[in-house]
Amino acid sequence: MTDPGLRERKKQRTRADLQRHALRLFRDRGFAATTVDDIAAAAEVSRSTFFRYFPTKEDVVLLDDVDPLYEAAFRAVPAGTPLLEALRRSMHTAFASLSDEKRALEEVRMDLARSIPEIGAVLRERNTFGVDHVATLVAEAVGRPATDEDVVVFAGVVSGARLAAQELVRRDPGRPYIETFVHVLGMLADGVPLAEVPVGT
Amino acid sequence: MTDPGLRERKKQRTRADLQRHALRLFRDRGFAATTVDDIAAAAEVSRSTFFRYFPTKEDVVLLDDVDPLYEAAFRAVPAGTPLLEALRRSMHTAFASLSDEKRALEEVRMDLARSIPEIGAVLRERNTFGVDHVATLVAEAVGRPATDEDVVVFAGVVSGARLAAQELVRRDPGRPYIETFVHVLGMLADGVPLAEVPVGT
DNA sequence: GCCTTTCTGGGACTGAGTCTCAAGTGGTAC
DNA sequence: GTACCACTTGAGACTCAGTCCCAGAAAGGC
């Protein structure tokens, strides 16, 4: 927590500049039509520098200081709360604590994730809500190994809930993503919907 | 169903050749170390031709004649079967009906999906078990619109179950993928595991 | 001020993916 | 069989993502 030093501050600023300009360009011209050269030029650094900060063009969308908040909120839920409810509540409180600026950035990221499939895929992969990440978190919370079958399946269901939320937003744009996710998690508390409904006419 | 004609047969053979050689090269040298030129050369066609058959290098892994079988099996489940059980059973029967050759091809595809993240992501995206695809299928089976919230959430859970199965296989290589998936679907019939377990020590 | 460490810019290189055009091959009608 | 049409292929040029390397600039410690 000591003074970061000039060098470190410059790096943080360069990284933030690159992301800011990149997201703006993606939004205005589209992802494919924006080249890395364009982004580097807009941020007034060289192409080389771009790739030093972000391994790929997709990664610039992934830079994220929101995910840690969800995690912290989850760990802060009082002991004794049922697992699914704990997850649902931590999503809610973490999102409520975001600044307007962060929330706007989050919106753009989500838009891109929805409109550009590759980005959506990468985002899901590396996000807080990837299966193995949730499994690790949950394992810690309930005091079981992360290899436990129940833990992994629970984590899978949570990831699935997120996929469902994204799909619902995709079909009804304008619907707020986080609230939808929270809502879906609530639905699952009553068991898997439709599981017992008979198929056929 | 009439005679496909020489032209059509040639195309099918070229497509199959490209996939066969590509998967072999991927397995032997790795995905990144195999260039499209290598694949085209092995299949004795030009680079241009490769891209006429497959839009990207990843897509060559996705060519799939197995998915339709799952779908057909699902539609063939007797009316009245509970939805989750119907899905579980159709997975089982469809996989049992595969020829040894197809099953081996399926193995290689699954290996690649597991070891190369980008492929895994694309596979999940376009697979039979993508959320919107399952939602469409389920909507038809239970006679509800595909936009129904319950339908989408159910579809999300099924996709999540598949993610969990993949994760379990990843942590315990050698475990058969399809059987694991079927097993996970069975677990969900009793509700979401751990949902009510309290968090904290 | 000087020396070391770290960061940047420039340029060369590989490979994916797109496009265009000319030549080849299957289908078909006579 | 042959002549014509539609479709398919091969070749080459081009753009852009991503990697590598090296020389010079900037920051930190003394």
Side-chain angles (χ1 to χ4, degrees):
Chain A
M1 290 297 148
T2 97
D3 183 15
L6 176 55
R7 186 169 269 164
E8 192 55 30
R9 271 179 291 145
K10 267 197 167 179
K11 274 170 66 178
Q12 304 246 342
R13 223 193 47 189
T14 304
R15 170 170 277 114
D17 280 358
L18 280 169
Q19 193 190 35
R20 213 183 61 245
H21 284 111
L23 290 182
R24 182 177 53 75
L25 288 167
F26 290 164
R27 181 165 43 79
D28 294 351
R29 305 187 196 172
F31 181 76
T34 305
T35 70
V36 172
D37 279 303
D38 295 337
I39 302 169
E44 296 183 300
V45 296
S46 74
R47 217 179 91 84
S48 309
T49 299
F50 176 91
F51 282 111
R52 258 180 218 110
Y53 282 91
F54 301 98
T56 74
K57 189 177 156 188
E58 278 89 29
D59 277 279
V60 81
V61 184
L62 304 182
L63 175 62
D64 190 356
D65 24 34
V66 176
D67 279 1
L69 290 180
Y70 295 133
E71 247 180 271
F74 179 65
R75 287 186 222 269
V77 171
T81 313
L83 179 56
L84 195 58
E85 173 59 19
L87 206 69
R88 202 181 73 84
R89 207 181 298 170
S90 57
M91 286 296 302
H92 190 70
T93 58
F95 188 66
S97 76
L98 284 182
S99 73
D100 286 354
E101 189 199 0
K102 297 268 185 210
R103 210 171 304 180
L105 211 76
E106 204 59 7
E107 281 303 317
V108 178
R109 280 164 28 92
M110 285 301 157
D111 272 0
L112 284 169
R114 224 170 300 119
S115 54
I116 299 137
E118 316 105 274
I119 292 191
V122 179
L123 204 63
R124 278 190 281 285
E125 208 68 28
R126 312 210 196 154
N127 223 11
T128 310
F129 297 99
V131 178
D132 62 341
H133 197 263
V134 176
T136 307
L137 219 59
V138 165
E140 182 195 310
V142 300
R144 297 201 192 192
T147 50
D148 184 290
E149 219 175 51
D150 282 346
V151 168
V152 174
V153 173
F154 178 84
V157 171
V158 172
S159 293
R162 196 166 53 98
L163 295 179
Q166 286 181 340
E167 184 67 18
L168 287 170
V169 173
R170 203 173 65 79
R171 295 185 179 207
D172 177 13
R175 185 169 179 170
Y177 167 63
I178 299 289
E179 269 123 38
T180 304
F181 185 24
V182 170
H183 172 66
V184 171
L185 288 177
M187 287 172 71
L188 291 176
D190 305 326
V192 180
L194 302 185
E196 297 302 324
V197 172
V199 300
T201 42
Chain B
M1 287 294 149
T2 95
D3 184 13
L6 177 54
R7 186 170 268 165
E8 193 54 31
R9 272 177 290 144
K10 268 197 167 178
K11 275 171 64 178
Q12 303 246 343
R13 224 194 47 191
T14 303
R15 170 171 275 113
D17 280 357
L18 280 168
Q19 193 189 37
R20 213 183 61 247
H21 283 109
L23 290 181
R24 181 177 55 75
L25 288 167
F26 291 164
R27 183 165 42 79
D28 295 350
R29 306 187 196 171
F31 181 75
T34 304
T35 70
V36 171
D37 278 304
D38 295 338
I39 302 169
E44 296 181 300
V45 296
S46 75
R47 215 181 94 84
S48 310
T49 298
F50 176 92
F51 282 110
R52 260 184 215 108
Y53 283 91
F54 300 99
T56 73
K57 190 177 157 189
E58 278 89 29
D59 277 281
V60 79
V61 183
L62 304 181
L63 176 61
D64 190 356
D65 23 37
V66 176
D67 278 0
L69 290 180
Y70 295 133
E71 248 181 88
F74 179 66
R75 287 186 221 269
V77 171
T81 313
L83 181 56
L84 194 59
E85 173 60 19
L87 207 69
R88 204 181 72 85
R89 206 182 296 171
S90 58
M91 286 296 302
H92 190 70
T93 56
F95 188 66
S97 77
L98 284 183
S99 72
D100 287 353
E101 189 199 358
K102 297 269 185 210
R103 209 170 305 179
L105 212 75
E106 204 57 9
E107 282 302 317
V108 179
R109 279 165 29 94
M110 286 301 158
D111 272 359
L112 284 170
R114 224 171 298 120
S115 53
I116 299 138
E118 316 103 275
I119 293 191
V122 180
L123 205 62
R124 278 190 281 285
E125 209 68 27
R126 311 210 198 155
N127 224 9
T128 309
F129 295 101
V131 177
D132 63 341
H133 197 263
V134 176
T136 307
L137 219 58
V138 166
E140 181 195 310
V142 301
R144 296 202 194 193
T147 50
D148 183 288
E149 220 175 50
D150 282 347
V151 168
V152 174
V153 173
F154 179 84
V157 171
V158 171
S159 292
R162 195 166 53 99
L163 295 178
Q166 285 181 341
E167 184 67 17
L168 287 169
V169 172
R170 202 174 65 78
R171 296 186 177 205
D172 176 14
R175 184 169 180 170
Y177 166 63
I178 301 291
E179 270 122 36
T180 304
F181 185 25
V182 170
H183 172 65
V184 170
L185 288 177
M187 287 171 70
L188 291 177
D190 306 328
V192 181
L194 302 184
E196 296 303 323
V197 172
V199 300
T201 41

